[in-house]
Amino acid sequence: FKKDINPIGSIIAFRAPMYVIEGLIDLEDSLSKDYIFSDDAINFCWEIPNLCPIGAVAFQRWFNVNIAFTLSKLTGLKIGVDGDDLMVDEKFIGSDRVERDQGKASVSITYSKNNVAIGHTGINIKAGNKAPGFAFSTNLSDGEAKIFMETVCNIFNNEIKDICIAASKV
């Protein structure tokens, strides 16, 4: 990806399974002995220079609101954001066979080190039988997944450019 690195911020999107049992860096997840699993997920990984930890979290939450809006528009699902989690208001049966009124369609983490923020948001396409019971599958088609990834990357790139332009005017 080196040829596409942007000095004001970069993003990549790809589909891949997610599996994190040990080494979770999110303290809340570690304390609740939570884990991450998805048979098929869209992964957005981004990096923004000159961003402190508070700025990284603020950007992550703004970005995830935009991801939720884009996903809701594409799927017709009612999707909100709780902290950094994308929550889908729809009845479904989780991998634990429990019926729920709401499910979590995402995993997300960010941090800043040496004033460089990095972040990840993963969106379940198929959470799978090994996923936590609350994990919601969006069941995006291949075509929908491609449109979704391109749209979200465009949102990121346009906003980073606009932020840098606005910051240079003050």
Side-chain angles (χ1 to χ4, degrees):
F1 301 110
K2 264 191 168 180
K3 67 181 177 126
D4 295 325
I5 296 297
N6 187 330
I8 60 174
S10 297
I11 187 169
I12 59 170
F14 57 93
R15 281 178 73 171
M18 294 186 292
Y19 179 66
V20 181
I21 300 294
E22 296 179 17
L24 289 167
I25 62 173
D26 187 314
L27 183 58
E28 183 180 341
D29 290 342
S30 294
L31 292 174
S32 65
K33 299 192 185 326
D34 209 350
Y35 64 97
I36 297 168
F37 186 94
S38 185
D39 282 340
D40 185 13
I42 294 172
N43 295 274
F44 298 103
C45 298
W46 52 267
E47 177 184 63
I48 303 171
N50 304 313
L51 205 54
C52 68
I54 290 173
V57 170
F59 182 86
Q60 172 201 36
R61 291 183 179 201
W62 169 87
F63 187 53
N64 284 355
V65 166
N66 279 276
I67 291 173
F69 177 78
T70 303
L71 186 59
S72 178
K73 196 170 157 183
L74 182 67
T75 62
L77 295 168
K78 185 178 176 191
I79 303 173
V81 178
D82 181 9
D84 61 4
D85 297 325
L86 275 67
M87 304 302 293
V88 180
D89 289 331
E90 173 123 342
K91 283 191 184 290
F92 78 105
I93 297 177
S95 63
D96 56 2
R97 302 291 169 223
V98 173
E99 184 178 41
R100 291 175 170 78
D101 293 327
Q102 185 181 62
K104 186 172 131 178
S106 68
V107 297
S108 186
I109 192 69
T110 188
Y111 79 88
S112 178
K113 183 174 182 179
N114 299 327
N115 257 10
V116 176
I118 59 171
H120 168 260
T121 298
I123 305 296
N124 293 324
I125 293 176
K126 297 261 187 240
N129 293 334
K130 296 178 184 174
F134 55 77
F136 184 89
S137 297
T138 61
N139 295 311
L140 294 173
S141 69
D142 290 343
E144 290 170 328
K146 185 175 189 278
I147 290 167
F148 179 58
M149 289 189 287
E150 289 171 355
T151 302
V152 169
C153 287
N154 285 336
I155 289 168
F156 176 93
N157 288 321
N158 291 335
E159 192 62 29
I160 289 298
K161 181 180 175 185
D162 191 57
I163 288 170
C164 285
I165 290 168
S168 69
K169 293 191 265 182
V170 292

